[in-house]
Amino acid sequence: MRKVGFILYPGYSPMGFAVSTAFEVANLQAGEPVYDVRMLSEHGGLVRTSLGFDVATEPFSGDHYDLLVVGGSMQEASAETVEFIRRAPGHCRRIAATCLAAFVLAEAGLLDGRRATTHWIRARELQARYPKVRVEEDRIFIADGPVWTSAGMTAGIDLALALIEEDLGLEAARNVARKLVLYHRRAGGQSQFSSLLELEPKSDRIQSVLTYAKGHLSNRLSVEELAEVAHLSPRQFSRAFQTETGQTPAKAIEHLRLEAARVLMEDTSHTIDVVAQQTGFADRNRMRRAFLRAFGQPPQVIRRAARGMAAVAEDLAEA
């Protein structure tokens, strides 16, 4: 059984408990306790969360842990907590930080020379305060050897699912995601910035069009097709869409295609032609031009970079 400790300190965000729930569900799915989850703090006893309720914890100890997870807090961690985390690699196999807890790992020196991410809103601050950290602000989560970090808020659940996948396999992680009523586990390389969120339509009518488009990217998705979904004339639809999102339908659809294509390039072995067809670019040349405009690199280079990082992480984990 794998021992997992969640490190709490005053101001701890209750979102961290959603992360711990993934391990609880993994136990339920396995039909036996594969994870022994503990709540830990500097002195043990009750720790007050950012919402004002208290959580019972055990005091820090030198016990061996398969995984320690530091959760984000609205307050700074104490010097004693940082020191415990600094020594953690001596008695735990992996250590992870969700959201702003990356600052605690950085303060402890565990991110020096490593790739890391955090909530996008404070990623540049993390880089400025800790220049030895290789901050990648537009990532859902990153595993660099035994040290894992995630973006803000719900991204911690994606990190937990990735850890479960590493321990128990892909199918187990998928089963946990389904039990949590998640559409899917986002890949670590996926952008923190969802095109759907950035568009921020004001009406359900335009939101339904975007949801339809994301689920039918292999279609041509002409203005006429989208206008029919919105129950508007093409002219009315184009005007309403641009007023609500600030983009033309064509530009918004291209962003959705690019987002989906990048995930497929980084996390599947599909050929470029297959990715282009599945995401509606029709042919590889059109997709290549779109990648160059958006990312400054062709699809092949992005795929090679993602695989290279994965190989480095795997080598470090085995070292």
Side-chain angles (χ1 to χ4, degrees):
M1 185 164 54
R2 297 170 175 84
K3 198 171 181 180
V4 178
F6 281 79
I7 296 177
L8 280 64
Y9 49 97
Y12 182 82
S13 171
M15 180 60 72
F17 300 122
V19 179
S20 65
T21 297
F23 298 98
E24 175 192 8
V25 172
N27 285 344
L28 294 173
Q29 293 291 112
E32 60 179 343
V34 291
Y35 291 108
D36 176 12
V37 178
R38 309 288 183 90
M39 298 293 160
L40 311 173
S41 69
E42 182 182 340
H43 301 297
L46 298 178
V47 173
R48 179 144 295 192
T49 68
S50 60
L51 271 179
F53 61 84
D54 297 328
V55 179
T57 65
E58 303 174 22
F60 292 155
S61 71
D63 292 353
H64 176 80
Y65 281 84
D66 185 74
L67 170 67
L68 285 175
V69 182
V70 188
S73 172
M74 304 302 291
Q75 300 180 32
E76 296 286 334
S78 68
E80 291 76 12
T81 297
V82 172
E83 182 58 29
F84 175 77
I85 292 168
R86 181 178 289 115
R87 298 195 307 267
H91 58 90
C92 73
R93 185 168 73 89
R94 298 170 298 185
I95 187 163
T98 62
C99 197
L100 299 182
F103 283 82
V104 184
L105 263 59
E107 182 64 23
L110 299 189
L111 296 183
D112 288 355
R114 295 188 185 275
R115 299 166 56 239
T117 192
T118 188
H119 195 299
W120 63 268
I121 205 166
R122 292 186 62 186
R124 293 183 184 180
E125 179 188 345
L126 179 65
Q127 185 66 85
R129 286 176 57 181
Y130 303 99
K132 293 182 181 179
V133 182
R134 295 158 56 193
V135 178
E136 296 185 17
E137 62 182 271
D138 191 21
R139 288 293 178 266
I140 295 296
F141 66 84
I142 291 175
D144 192 332
V147 181
W148 298 59
T149 52
S150 80
M153 310 305 283
T154 60
I157 301 174
D158 298 285
L159 180 145
L161 290 170
L163 288 161
I164 291 168
E165 180 179 332
E166 182 178 77
D167 293 339
L168 307 178
L170 177 59
E171 191 57 33
R174 284 176 174 166
N175 287 337
V176 172
R178 283 194 287 267
K179 188 75 172 180
L180 292 173
V181 198
L182 295 174
Y183 178 63
H184 62 88
R185 176 180 73 76
R186 294 176 291 180
Q190 188 169 337
S191 172
Q192 290 191 40
F193 305 100
S194 164
S195 292
L196 286 177
L197 289 176
E198 288 186 332
L199 289 168
E200 294 184 333
K202 298 177 178 61
S203 69
D204 291 342
R205 189 192 298 263
I206 300 301
Q207 179 63 62
S208 67
V209 170
L210 289 168
T211 302
Y212 171 85
K214 191 165 180 66
H216 297 81
L217 289 177
S218 59
N219 292 8
R220 182 165 170 264
L221 295 178
S222 64
V223 169
E224 290 74 19
E225 181 180 353
L226 298 176
E228 186 175 343
V229 174
H231 304 293
L232 294 170
S233 71
R235 184 175 179 180
Q236 288 174 317
F237 167 71
S238 294
R239 186 186 303 118
F241 189 96
Q242 188 151 4
T243 297
E244 291 195 24
T245 68
Q247 295 185 22
T248 65
K251 180 58 68 175
I253 296 304
E254 182 173 276
H255 287 166
L256 292 176
R257 295 193 199 282
L258 281 165
E259 186 174 76
R262 180 167 183 165
V263 170
L264 289 175
M265 289 299 301
E266 291 183 339
D267 298 315
T268 74
S269 58
H270 295 331
T271 66
I272 294 175
D273 290 319
V274 168
V275 172
Q277 289 292 330
Q278 288 188 356
T279 54
F281 281 108
D283 64 72
R284 61 190 297 158
N285 289 329
R286 183 180 170 193
M287 187 172 83
R288 183 178 188 277
R289 290 193 296 271
F291 265 64
L292 288 171
R293 284 195 302 271
F295 309 124
Q297 296 177 321
Q300 300 95 320
V301 171
I302 287 176
R303 168 168 278 175
R304 283 198 297 270
R307 289 179 174 175
M309 289 298 186
V312 169
E314 186 175 338
D315 290 343
L316 288 171
E318 294 176 354

